[in-house]
Amino acid sequence: CALPILRLAYRGLPVCEPHQRFSIVAIFVPDCGWRFTVLWGLAFGLESAVVSFNRFPQLGIAIARRCVLSMGAAYFDDELALEAVADADVSQVGLRLVFQLMGAPPQREKGFKPTPNRHYLGTSVHTGDVNDRGVVRVQPKATTVSKVLAKLDQILSSGQLSRDDAGKLRGDVTWLF
């Protein structure tokens, strides 16, 4: 396609709309070697896709933190900014600038107004004391702690941890930190 239509998810890798119904994938055939074939459906749902596509937003956040001093984080394709200055979007402006220069400007609706308290899936962040005391408070949500402890109790009592449950537990523990 000469003019790709960008998808909202995984926008770091544009996909032409006509190509969204299939993928060309490489598979290894014993005694034959690598072969290419058509996979009917877009392969973004495969196991490593999320990890691979998260590298682009993580790189942008690292640049925003180090080069323009934005307080930001990434969750899949959402870029989140915190503000320490009341009624100022300095972190958001820096974050948007970095991703624009990387060729993937964040969508306007993905941004949040400045606030001293931000609540994410597993944690809350309070920046209201930055100017007076130089303190940022990051704490896990009580519901996330309870969820993780319940999962750990279940794992210890059963003596088993499936691959899927390990992935879910890793995600929950990641949100704690």
Side-chain angles (χ1 to χ4, degrees):
C1 282
L3 297 172
I5 297 172
L6 296 179
R7 299 205 33 163
L8 296 180
Y10 306 129
R11 71 181 173 285
L13 296 173
V15 178
C16 291
E17 194 166 330
H19 298 171
Q20 292 176 6
R21 66 183 180 273
F22 65 89
S23 299
I24 305 298
V25 297
I27 58 171
F28 185 78
V29 178
D31 300 324
C32 292
W34 289 98
R35 298 291 183 257
F36 292 93
T37 187
V38 173
L39 172 67
W40 295 102
L42 193 58
F44 285 143
L46 298 178
E47 181 177 331
S48 66
V50 172
V51 173
S52 297
F53 287 108
N54 274 339
R55 291 185 178 135
F56 183 82
Q58 291 297 338
L59 174 63
I61 292 298
I63 293 168
R65 287 176 179 169
R66 287 163 182 83
C67 296
V68 295
L69 302 177
S70 286
M71 292 195 310
Y75 176 68
F76 295 103
D77 68 337
D78 295 343
E79 288 81 35
L80 311 165
L82 292 167
E83 302 298 342
V85 180
D87 300 321
D89 287 335
V90 292
S91 287
Q92 188 71 249
V93 168
L95 187 137
R96 288 184 186 284
L97 173 65
V98 167
F99 278 93
Q100 181 178 350
L101 292 172
M102 290 176 68
Q107 302 163 31
R108 280 278 165 211
E109 61 271 13
K110 298 279 186 169
F112 300 99
K113 292 182 187 248
T115 180
N117 295 303
R118 181 71 64 212
H119 302 284
Y120 299 105
L121 292 179
T123 191
S124 64
V125 182
H126 176 73
T127 59
D129 296 325
V130 168
N131 293 330
D132 298 335
R133 298 176 41 211
V135 174
V136 173
R137 186 175 66 237
V138 180
Q139 61 191 43
K141 288 183 178 176
T143 54
T144 305
V145 173
S146 296
K147 184 178 177 182
V148 168
L149 290 175
K151 282 184 182 181
L152 290 173
D153 285 342
Q154 189 273 326
I155 292 164
L156 291 172
S157 67
S158 70
Q160 297 180 8
L161 177 60
S162 72
R163 184 176 146 206
D164 290 343
D165 287 338
K168 292 174 188 173
L169 180 61
R170 180 183 55 85
D172 290 335
V173 170
T174 299
W175 274 107
L176 287 175
F177 297 95

